[in-house]
Amino acid sequence: MTTPRVSKLTTLDDWLELRSRTTVPEAMWVDGAWDQAGGRTLPLVSPRDGTVVANVASADVEDVDRAVRGARRTFEQGVWSSLEPRERGEVLLRWAELLDAHRDELALLLALEMGKPVNVGWNVELRTAINTIRWYGELVDKLYDESPRGRNGALALVTREPLGVVGAITPWNFPMTLAMFKIPAALATGNSVVVKPATQTPLSLLRAAELSAQAGLPPGALQIVTGSGSVVGAALARHPDVATLTFTGSTEVGKKLLTYAGESNAKPVSLELGGKSPNIVFPDAPDLDQAAEVAAWAVSFNSGQMCTAGSRLVVHEDIRDDFVARVVKHLEAHVIGDPLDPATTMGPLAYAGHRDDVVDEIRKGIAAGTALVMGSDEKRDDGLYVSPAVFIDVDPDSRLAQHEIFGPVLSVLTFSTEEEAIAIANNSDYGLGSAIWTADLSRAHRLSRRIEAGMVWVNCYEEGDSSVPFGGQKLSGHGADRSVHGLEKYTSLKTTWINIEGAS
Ligand code: NAD
């Protein structure tokens, strides 16, 4: 077994020293160079300490248009789109190596922009992002077109072709991983990509884009436009030369994008949206303590700012009290603090407005009379931290059971029969993740078929791999990222018929 690579920076002082010599990117990345977007800027306030860490370029509609036209020009020139697939793969693999070599710096930028603990950024977020680029880099020259049997006297070819310019709009909770669920797949198939990162988290991706040029990606193949969602995101979504839009973010914004697409060039839109994932625990779970540890992790990892958060714990009534006590014990083990300290397991929430919203949801839950067994609705005065909160006896129709809070807030619901567990699990507008803890294989299969979710985990949570699709159903979206299927939305199918009987 190989030992996993770890950062050589092991103390807070090591990370502070790196901070002192790191320049934070502030301009957009357009046509292979830094671009000031006319000098307009937006301050980026770090959730770590409330200081302004960057004044990031704030694009307007013309800047977005310029970036899209540059991307389209690069596509038409064929300097990327017409390379041999193997050559595109080699560039992606070099890019992955460069990102790996700059992992400390990128983990630092993630910690500064959204408060992600450096160890989580280094070991989880960046590992996944880099592995995804490698996976598509290695895949791209191993894809085949089709030649169906068709009819006698004719040859049918089914080929997949790049679309041109892909618009990608991404959220702040995993700024690198979620962008890399999209960018390498779109690039591997020959497209140019224009990315609009979340307003709060452009820094890591800007640095990654700069490194893509060193890897040999031609100017214009990857553009990063920064600024507000309502201006920059909307301009990208409405642009007539953007051939397809791929989005990860809230259901509310996802619905707007469908409207923008309809009002412009009817571009296809793939959506990875919110969730309220049920984590169902039966008394025969193989290891209840492991299930409790994972349940605690599922609602508190990344400070609960996870689309797939297991925010609804659906537990059998016979084990409820014991199980919840174990979950609370595991949640109490978190080390909450400075994201630059490698000992920290839970950092602040990503920005003040979001912290306020999460605390407000806890307050509403208490006001509705729901019992809180851990946590509080008091704002902490030492930063944007929110300690985990656990509500029990949650009404399945209540706001606590229905609304995506996107923070470390667990709603515990109980069931007595399998039918009841399924009904509670499916009583949601969302359908992203779900988990079932049971030793009964037949039951696991039965539930897996009936639960309305894009992903079902049995006796585990958040398993994932580049080779396996990631995506949801219902209001959690459609059009999965990752895997070979993740390429489909970046290509169009073309059929060509060739008469092989001679001229007729
Ligand atoms: P958000 O929808 O507010 O923002 C996402 C992106 O959309 C940002 O880049 C933002 O600037 C942009 N945007 C905002 N308004 C826009 C507009 N009118 N037009 C175009 N673009 C616009 O989401 P967020 O707060 O950044 O992220 C949290 C949400 O993302 C949660 O709902 C979470 O569940 C979801 N999410 C889903 C997945 C998934 O894979 N299903 C993964 C992570 C996050």
Side-chain angles (χ1 to χ4, degrees):
M1 220 172 88
T2 53
T3 315
R5 245 166 50 68
V6 290
S7 172
K8 293 194 171 56
L9 308 186
T10 55
T11 66
L12 175 60
D13 283 346
D14 291 343
W15 286 94
L16 289 172
E17 192 278 325
L18 177 65
R19 170 72 188 104
S20 68
R21 59 185 164 82
T22 300
T23 310
V24 173
E26 295 182 293
M28 310 199 298
W29 184 256
V30 176
D31 296 337
W34 295 117
D35 182 310
Q36 303 297 337
R40 292 173 308 277
T41 59
L42 277 176
L44 200 153
V45 177
S46 175
R48 177 177 173 253
D49 55 9
T51 60
V52 173
V53 285
N55 286 297
V56 179
S58 176
D60 62 13
V61 175
E62 285 72 36
D63 295 318
V64 175
D65 179 55
R66 190 159 43 80
V68 172
R69 280 191 285 110
R72 178 76 206 168
R73 197 165 47 242
T74 297
F75 180 74
E76 284 168 3
Q77 284 166 349
V79 288
W80 179 249
S81 54
S82 297
L83 289 186
E84 296 293 343
R86 183 183 47 78
E87 293 173 309
R88 287 201 297 268
E90 283 167 1
V91 172
L92 289 175
L93 291 173
R94 274 200 298 277
W95 191 25
E97 289 314 305
L98 280 166
L99 293 176
D100 208 3
H102 290 80
R103 215 151 140 175
D104 289 337
E105 183 190 348
L106 292 164
L108 173 74
L109 293 176
L110 288 167
L112 295 178
E113 64 191 348
M114 59 81 61
K116 191 175 301 264
V118 282
N119 266 349
V120 176
W122 211 97
N123 293 313
V124 183
E125 166 128 33
L126 289 166
R127 178 173 50 80
T128 311
I130 293 165
N131 283 348
T132 310
I133 301 173
R134 281 202 185 109
W135 196 82
Y136 282 113
E138 287 164 358
L139 175 73
V140 60
D141 61 347
K142 297 166 191 70
L143 298 167
Y144 297 88
D145 289 327
E146 298 166 35
S147 177
R149 178 62 185 82
R151 290 192 297 101
N152 290 342
L155 175 67
L157 299 176
V158 182
T159 53
R160 281 201 169 268
E161 306 197 341
L163 295 168
V165 179
V166 171
I169 303 180
T170 55
W172 47 260
N173 60 331
F174 289 90
M176 286 289 288
T177 301
L178 296 173
M180 296 312 172
F181 279 6
K182 303 179 183 305
I183 297 169
L187 286 175
T189 38
N191 299 284
S192 299
V193 190
V194 183
V195 187
K196 191 288 186 214
T199 315
Q200 299 85 350
T201 56
L203 306 181
S204 49
L205 195 61
L206 285 166
R207 180 68 177 118
E210 186 183 20
L211 292 170
S212 75
Q214 276 183 42
L217 196 67
L222 174 61
Q223 318 270 52
I224 312 288
V225 288
T226 55
S228 80
S230 56
V231 174
V232 182
L236 191 60
R238 289 181 184 281
H239 203 290
D241 285 338
V242 171
T244 191
L245 199 63
T246 172
F247 175 73
T248 300
S250 64
T251 297
E252 186 192 348
V253 173
K255 286 179 175 177
K256 286 187 189 171
L257 300 183
L258 293 170
T259 306
Y260 301 157
E263 287 169 354
S264 53
N265 57 342
K267 55 178 76 64
V269 182
S270 62
L271 300 172
E272 298 281 0
L273 308 175
K276 191 79 183 177
S277 301
N279 185 13
I280 308 170
V281 185
F282 286 89
D284 69 346
D287 180 341
L288 278 172
D289 199 51
Q290 188 216 359
E293 185 174 2
V294 174
W297 178 91
V299 76
S300 59
F301 179 67
N302 210 37
S303 301
Q305 303 165 125
M306 194 163 67
C307 54
T308 46
S311 51
R312 286 189 295 153
L313 176 61
V314 185
V315 57
H316 192 276
E317 58 188 7
D318 289 352
I319 56 166
R320 203 273 311 259
D321 290 350
D322 172 60
F323 193 79
V324 170
R326 294 182 199 224
V327 172
V328 166
K329 187 189 80 185
H330 288 295
L331 286 171
E332 282 170 349
H334 266 300
V335 180
I336 299 176
D338 187 347
L340 288 193
D341 187 338
T344 295
T345 61
M346 208 172 147
L349 295 206
Y351 56 96
H354 182 53
R355 187 277 310 267
D356 294 350
D357 288 348
V358 171
V359 170
D360 199 44
E361 291 299 333
I362 299 173
R363 189 167 302 146
K364 282 181 183 148
I366 295 170
T370 317
L372 186 70
V373 295
M374 178 183 190
S376 119
D377 62 349
E378 294 288 315
K379 273 189 202 164
R380 291 172 55 143
D381 51 19
D382 56 348
L384 299 182
Y385 304 107
V386 174
S387 308
V390 178
F391 285 96
I392 55 166
D393 292 327
V394 172
D395 176 345
D397 293 321
S398 67
R399 185 173 173 89
L400 275 175
Q402 296 292 330
H403 178 74
E404 182 190 43
I405 297 176
F406 221 56
V409 182
L410 184 63
S411 297
V412 182
L413 302 96
T414 46
F415 69 92
S416 56
T417 66
E418 196 177 295
E419 278 305 312
E420 210 184 334
I422 295 168
I424 291 173
N426 289 343
N427 178 20
S428 172
D429 290 338
Y430 295 112
L432 191 55
S434 61
I436 307 159
W437 296 83
T438 178
D440 181 339
L441 193 61
S442 303
R443 171 153 58 201
H445 277 288
R446 267 196 312 275
L447 263 73
S448 164
R449 287 181 183 192
R450 290 186 58 194
I451 288 177
E452 297 162 357
M455 294 168 285
V456 181
W457 295 290
V458 178
N459 298 328
C460 58
Y461 204 95
E462 197 67 37
E463 270 301 324
D465 189 77
S466 298
S467 60
V468 180
F470 176 99
Q473 302 178 351
K474 297 161 79 177
L475 280 189
S476 293
H478 54 257
D481 283 336
R482 312 191 88 178
S483 83
V484 180
H485 297 285
L487 298 172
E488 288 162 11
K489 55 181 171 286
Y490 304 120
T491 54
S492 66
L493 273 183
K494 178 181 277 181
T495 53
T496 305
W497 285 96
I498 300 172
N499 179 353
I500 56 172
E501 279 186 330
S504 57

